[in-house]
Amino acid sequence: MDRTLESLQLVIAQVLPHRDPALVFKDLNAVAILQEFWESKQKQKAIFQSEGIIVYESLSSLGPPFVSYVTLPGGSCFGNFQSCSSRAEARRDAAKVALINSLFNELPCRRITKEFIIESVREAVSSTSGNLKDADDPSTSIGAYHYMLESNIGKTMLEFQELMIVFQLLHWNGSLKALRETKCSRQEVISYYSQYSLDEKMRSHMALDWIMKEQESPGIISQELQVALRELEEVRKAGQELRFYKEKKEILSLALSQIYSDQVTTSSWDDQMSLALHGYQ
């Protein structure tokens, strides 16, 4: 723990040289320091490919506990994990979680290296009861994972997650399975989608896929949305990166809004959403 703290303080000294590393975690203004940290990275041209700004989002609520999310340049998202009695407190807590993760991302151990790849592939093989020999075969899941890591050597884990989010959603959405049925190789799929970042156009396409699923299996969107909301809450309270779960919620909500847009007026939309999500607590 002491070594980790020393490493984080070294990162602070490099990225924020005017800050006292020994004091930055004491009574810190997380919102201001997080903003300063990413502005400094932008000046150093070390920002993510999909450059952007820090975005805060507070969930509407009549009273506590309040929930706030913060999305970093590149798309990584974090939320407050403590129970907060005000929106301002929730925002500060979310910023603190994001700041700690941003600093950790700068540590050498968070950068993809040959050693990191070897260890990650071994862990993947162990967790899936796969075979280490599959790592050299891109047509297997382990091989595809190995190929993606090799293709991103030198990047940080948050940068790698920016790429992985697309494939996670395509897998969840059923699109990867459909592509395999067209005889596309995993390498071809990876090479194609590696060129794209998650944007409104891709979200809209995924929402349309779920609308088609709804026509085949009525009620499936609201069921998936309940699961996504539950997962999002659990991951947020654990202080983990939560973009995958938040994107699922937004894609499913978009699909529901499109389904109901021709059937209900704007004033009754909230009632329809509540009905669709009845039972989720």
Side-chain angles (χ1 to χ4, degrees), residues 253-265:
S253 298
L254 178 60
L256 273 181
S257 70
Q258 291 178 354
I259 288 174
Y260 289 126
S261 62
D262 295 331
Q263 303 175 18
V264 298
T265 62

Side-chain angles (χ1 to χ4, degrees), residues 48-49 105 108-117 120 143-167 186-187 189-196:
F48 285 83
Q49 183 177 359
N105 191 58
C109 64
R110 299 295 291 171
R111 198 167 289 276
I112 299 175
T113 61
K114 287 287 186 182
E115 294 75 16
F116 178 89
I117 291 173
S120 297
Y145 179 57
H146 184 214
Y147 174 78
M148 291 184 71
L149 286 171
E150 288 281 358
S151 301
N152 289 275
I153 204 162
K155 291 186 178 180
T156 66
M157 286 310 298
L158 286 185
E159 289 173 318
F160 184 61
Q161 286 175 4
E162 181 184 2
L163 170 67
M164 283 298 293
I165 187 65
V166 173
F167 294 97
R186 280 188 168 90
Q187 267 183 304
V189 173
I190 292 171
S191 297
Y192 178 77
Y193 279 105
S194 294
Q195 305 172 53
Y196 299 94

